[in-house]
Amino acid sequence: MTARLPGRLHHTAYVAKNLEETRAFYEDVIGLPLLATWCEQDVLFGKERTYAHVFFGLADGSALAFFQFADPADQAEFGPEMPASPFHHIALQVDPQTQAELEARIARAGIEPPATYVLEHGYCRSVYVVDPNGMILEFTCDEPAALEQDAANRAKAHGELKRWLAGDHTPNNNFRPAEAA
């Protein structure tokens, strides 16, 4: 029997440093529409807390969401310090035209390296940008030839993981550009 899988991502959630700066970045620069602003008050973790929770929409109906607390002590307790590692990020799938448009919007907004950069992974091309909260957002465009071998990748995924865990760290990305290898 095949396990039932979740249908799609509903939303991710992070604490924002400043909701207006966050709104301006996601809506005005990136182009994600503000779908909802929920102003709430709940008993959370043993204390009544007042906060706003905003949602920015993606094409599939999912959203990126951000909190901001009214009480500076709550804000300090729950964030918004993002990990300094570039390996902590959100990756969103885009087509080539959308990726080019996003690169242009980012440039028009005056966002420059190191707050934005491009990586050619071979199996995909990724544009990265850092939001006002320090979170890294990746816009990924898959390489059509890599998508064609999706079934083969799925079939060998467990074996490749076992190989890696056993100490064989030989690269297997045959799409990686030679200069990046």
Side-chain angles (χ1 to χ4, degrees):
M1 181 165 145
T2 303
R4 292 185 51 93
L5 299 175
R8 64 171 172 78
L9 177 72
H10 186 275
H11 72 275
T12 62
Y14 305 91
V15 176
K17 293 178 182 177
N18 178 302
L19 279 183
E20 176 50 25
E21 289 178 2
T22 300
R23 187 219 51 82
F25 177 81
Y26 283 95
E27 192 169 39
D28 299 344
V29 176
I30 302 303
L32 302 183
L34 178 63
L35 300 178
T37 300
W38 296 102
C39 303
E40 304 188 60
Q41 195 168 48
D42 289 304
V43 175
L44 300 170
F45 309 105
K47 178 182 171 190
E48 187 171 277
R49 302 175 197 271
T50 303
Y51 58 94
H53 196 195
V54 299
F55 292 78
F56 298 94
L58 300 172
D60 71 351
S62 63
L64 301 181
F66 295 87
F67 292 94
Q68 186 171 328
F69 293 89
D71 181 347
D74 291 343
Q75 186 73 9
E77 180 179 351
F78 293 110
E81 295 306 316
M82 296 292 170
S85 170
F87 294 100
H88 291 103
H89 63 274
I90 295 173
L92 302 174
Q93 183 274 330
V94 295
D95 61 37
Q97 296 79 15
T98 303
Q99 190 177 63
E101 185 179 315
L102 284 162
E103 284 184 270
R105 286 187 205 156
I106 291 164
R108 281 194 306 271
I111 302 171
E112 298 178 352
T116 185
Y117 53 96
V118 174
L119 283 180
E120 300 285 353
H121 296 284
Y123 53 86
C124 69
R125 179 179 188 271
S126 296
V127 174
Y128 297 85
V129 63
V130 180
D131 85 353
N133 305 298
M135 183 170 67
I136 298 170
L137 195 59
E138 174 185 0
F139 298 101
T140 301
C141 183
D142 293 316
E143 170 60 39
L147 291 174
E148 291 173 10
Q149 78 176 41
D150 184 58
N153 287 339
R154 288 174 186 251
K156 65 182 183 180
H158 285 94
E160 289 296 295
L161 177 58
K162 286 179 185 175
R163 177 182 67 80
W164 172 264
L165 293 173
D168 180 353
H169 299 159
T170 305
N172 67 355
N173 179 358
N174 56 334
F175 292 100
R176 170 85 61 195
E179 64 275 5

